[in-house]
Amino acid sequence: MTQRRFFRSIASVNGQLLAVSMLALLPLAGCGDNDVEAKVTATNEIVEQTRAGTKAAEGITVDNRDERATSLEGLASKTAQIGGTNDQKAAAGILAAEMAATAGSLLTAELRDLEIKASKERGLIAAAADAAATLEAVAEADAKLSLGADREFLKRAREGAEGSLKTLQSKIKELETPIGDLRKNVESRRAKLVELQQKADALRRQANDAGASAGFQYVEQSADVKMNAAQLRATIAGDELNLFELEPELNRANVALTGAQSVVSAADTATQALENFSTELTTNAKKLTEAAESLRAATQTALDALNAEVDGPMAETFDKASALFEMAARNASRGGAGREFAEAGAQAKLDAEANLATLGANRVSTLNAQIALLEQLAASGSLFGGEAKQKPAIEALTTKRDEALTQTKERFAALLETLNGMDAEKTSVARMKTSVESMIAALEGKALPSSSAATTSGATAPTAGASASTAAVNPVGAGFATQQELVDAYVGSGPDILKSLKAARTGFAFSSPEYAALFTTSVTVVDGLVPIITAIDAKFGPGSATTAFAQMGGNMADAASEKYEFVERNGKPFLKATSMKGTFDLPIVNSNGRFYVQGDPMFASVPPDQLAMAQAMAPMMSAMRDQMKTAFAPVVQAIESGQITSLDEVGPAMQKALGALGAGGAFGQPRK
């Protein structure tokens, strides 16, 4: 629930309320003064609460959102007590639900910020733990150093660190551009959202001014505008989700860069010590041991603070947000005599339950990340006490995680129950129901990671050499008859996105069905781009679609930037895949006489709980594919008819089409 949506919601409730209240105030035979007075009182109270809610939702900032959430919660409680007619009670209930949901959304935003901060801290703690372990190992090595062999060792360590520095600097540069583009997109689309809100408000005022009958057309127009706004919000949410995914990756890269720089510096210091006095080795080893212990203590302090944050403010904020969404769901269910109130209440209840379920899933993810961090520390040897010391904390977190998982399953079940009570013949309802059922199945099955230390360490994906021996047992296509055919298909795809897609569908294979499912889910959305890619290349020449997509930035630019190069590592064949998301050495393998590209390194940094959701996401990705085809259809027609005459016009037209694209919410929620 956003501030803008709250304004739209209370405007809608207010419009229905005015119509109901005007009828209620007509002199009716058999109605006493007390009845009329009660209706007038209810009307005045709802109008007063609406104004108060509007004021509380204005000018919300990071600094005052807690205070505003508290104010809105109080207003929601008071509004829920308003009496009057059934429709007035229903209107008050919906208004109270929207107030509570807005307050819950403010706390959800706070929880999101806390989780972003916690995610950064996990990366720093993991990096510090790695550094401490490295220092301890170097200290032990220094104590045993013989100058000849150890001088060569330090030289190789420094060269390796310098290589890492170059790779990380390149990765950081590649990440900064899409992140900047996403931020610009979010800013411009938020501005558009404000325009749509103003338009919806204007139509609502026209409806109020015209009266119940004549104003119905304005109500319908307002509903269309609100739907467009909802679609735009979904696009913004998608951009913010991409930012949420990319920014931690950039932070991890910066942390790793600092670590690599530290290794270079430490190697230089150690080398100088070796060159000057061998007797200094013992002193140096002692200093390194002290540094490792100091870093270990600092890491433990940071971990204790992070645990306190997760158990304290984050857990409290989660509980408060959950309680507010539960309040919203209760108040939205009060019902009323009018169909519009019933539909509005049902939608508000559905939104609240979807928010509850999503909130619970995020809590499970947070606890999984904490468990993974402790598992990494447990595996780092004696420096952090090993498994014996970390086991009690891991078990305690696992218990909390399992409790959160159980609660999340119950919330998804409640959401499914609400959907079962809606019109099952509506495509949007059926699609959302399928998605929720898939999510429930995933939570029941593979949502819990057994170990995921790599997800918090900030480490880069494993090198191809480490996974080259893994057999490709889960191909997504038929493969190629020879290695040369495979290389020609990938390297020859060049800037042609359709050729690249064809090669990927034919030649990729993975070591697990989960990786294969994630790949299939990822490329499903790309299928929605085939008509417009074909139209662009046919009109402006091969490779033109790549240029248009690169101009758009974000994921589009990443898809356009992908290229392959054949390389050999220690006599083994690889495809070097490069895009804005990074560079990966992908082994070329032979399975059952067919040649494939082993794609595991591309997904090595994906957390296990997200990996397990890949199959559950398939219905939503299919829906997004279909919606992208529909959204881009007018652009395709404009290109083919000659209305678009230059390639420079294509990017803005596609951006405009994407701006109108919406998937109906996080779970494909039905549109009103």
Side-chain angles (χ1 to χ4, degrees), residues 54 98 146 300 308 367 382 386 421 438 471 519 530 538-539 544 638 653:
T54 302
E98 299 294 0
S146 63
Q300 187 62 53
L367 295 173
S382 61
S438 298
F519 172 83
V530 171
K539 180 73 173 181
S544 297

Side-chain angles (χ1 to χ4, degrees), residues 238-284:
D239 289 341
E240 289 178 336
L241 181 59
N242 286 333
L243 276 173
F244 188 76
E245 293 174 347
L246 289 177
E247 287 177 335
E249 186 176 354
L250 179 60
N251 292 332
R252 290 193 296 270
N254 280 317
V255 170
L257 181 67
T258 301
Q261 290 169 337
S262 298
V263 171
V264 171
S265 178
D268 287 342
T269 301
T271 300
Q272 185 62 42
L274 284 172
E275 294 295 325
N276 293 331
F277 303 101
S278 63
T279 56
E280 291 182 2
L281 291 176
T282 301
T283 302
N284 189 47

Side-chain angles (χ1 to χ4, degrees), residues 151-354:
R151 183 184 290 112
E152 182 62 25
F153 167 79
L154 289 172
K155 179 182 177 182
R156 290 197 303 270
R158 192 184 193 286
E159 290 174 348
E162 286 180 332
S164 297
L165 282 174
K166 293 179 181 178
T167 300
L168 289 166
Q169 288 167 347
S170 175
K171 182 176 182 180
I172 289 170
K173 185 177 180 181
E174 290 171 349
L175 285 170
E176 286 173 342
T177 298
I179 287 174
D181 291 339
L182 281 171
R183 287 171 176 165
K184 290 178 182 178
N185 288 344
V186 170
E187 182 178 352
S188 63
R189 287 169 179 161
R190 286 190 183 281
K192 178 62 177 178
L193 201 57
V194 171
E195 294 178 8
L196 291 174
Q197 171 60 43
Q198 292 172 347
K199 184 175 180 181
D201 290 344
L203 288 168
R204 178 58 61 189
R205 288 193 294 271
Q206 285 181 280
N208 291 340
D209 293 339
S213 177
F216 184 72
Q217 59 176 324
Y218 299 113
V219 173
E220 287 185 319
Q221 294 175 25
S222 176
D224 290 338
V225 173
K226 288 164 65 179
M227 182 177 70
N228 291 336
Q231 294 171 344
L232 186 56
R233 279 199 308 277
T235 302
I236 292 172
D239 289 341
E240 289 178 336
L241 181 59
N242 286 333
L243 276 173
F244 188 76
E245 293 174 347
L246 289 177
E247 287 177 335
E249 186 176 354
L250 179 60
N251 292 332
R252 290 193 296 270
N254 280 317
V255 170
L257 181 67
T258 301
Q261 290 169 337
S262 298
V263 171
V264 171
S265 178
D268 287 342
T269 301
T271 300
Q272 185 62 42
L274 284 172
E275 294 295 325
N276 293 331
F277 303 101
S278 63
T279 56
E280 291 182 2
L281 291 176
T282 301
T283 302
N284 189 47
K286 181 179 179 181
K287 290 180 179 179
L288 286 173
T289 300
E290 291 172 352
E293 173 57 27
S294 176
L295 188 54
R296 183 210 63 77
T299 301
Q300 187 62 53
T301 299
L303 178 62
D304 292 342
L306 177 59
N307 286 335
E309 184 81 2
V310 172
D311 292 338
M314 292 182 70
E316 292 168 5
T317 304
F318 168 78
D319 291 339
K320 290 178 182 178
S322 296
L324 285 165
F325 287 128
E326 288 170 353
M327 177 192 290
R330 288 195 306 271
N331 286 319
S333 305
R334 295 176 65 177
R339 178 179 59 84
E340 291 187 0
F341 287 116
E343 291 179 352
Q347 185 64 50
K349 183 174 184 288
L350 184 69
D351 291 343
E353 290 179 344

Side-chain angles (χ1 to χ4, degrees), residues 69-125:
T70 301
S71 297
L72 286 166
E73 180 181 8
L75 290 171
S77 297
K78 186 176 180 180
T79 303
Q81 304 303 316
I82 294 175
T85 66
N86 286 339
D87 278 345
Q88 286 175 319
K89 291 178 181 178
I94 295 169
L95 180 58
E98 299 294 0
M99 288 175 171
T102 300
S105 293
L106 292 176
L107 294 184
T108 300
E110 180 178 347
L111 189 60
R112 178 199 63 209
D113 292 345
L114 290 173
E115 174 53 34
I116 291 173
K117 178 184 176 183
S119 179
K120 293 177 181 177
E121 290 172 352
R122 288 186 201 104
L124 291 171
I125 290 170

Side-chain angles (χ1 to χ4, degrees), residues 335-414:
R339 178 179 59 84
E340 291 187 0
F341 287 116
E343 291 179 352
Q347 185 64 50
K349 183 174 184 288
L350 184 69
D351 291 343
E353 290 179 344
N355 282 324
L356 271 172
T358 304
L359 198 63
N362 290 339
R363 179 63 177 170
V364 171
S365 180
T366 295
L367 295 173
N368 278 338
Q370 287 295 107
I371 293 170
L373 178 60
L374 294 186
E375 287 176 342
Q376 178 185 347
L377 296 181
S380 63
S382 61
L383 194 62
F384 289 92
E387 183 178 353
K389 181 176 180 180
Q390 302 300 333
K391 184 177 180 180
I394 291 174
E395 290 178 345
L397 278 173
T398 300
T399 298
K400 291 180 181 179
R401 188 272 315 279
D402 291 345
E403 291 173 353
L405 182 61
T406 298
Q407 185 183 57
T408 299
K409 292 176 184 178
E410 293 171 353
R411 288 175 174 178
F412 273 109

Side-chain angles (χ1 to χ4, degrees), residues 476 510-520 599-601 603-606 611:
V476 297
F510 301 90
S511 65
S512 70
E514 290 82 10
Y515 277 165
L518 181 57
F519 172 83
T520 302
D600 284 17
F603 299 139
S605 62
V606 177
L611 187 63

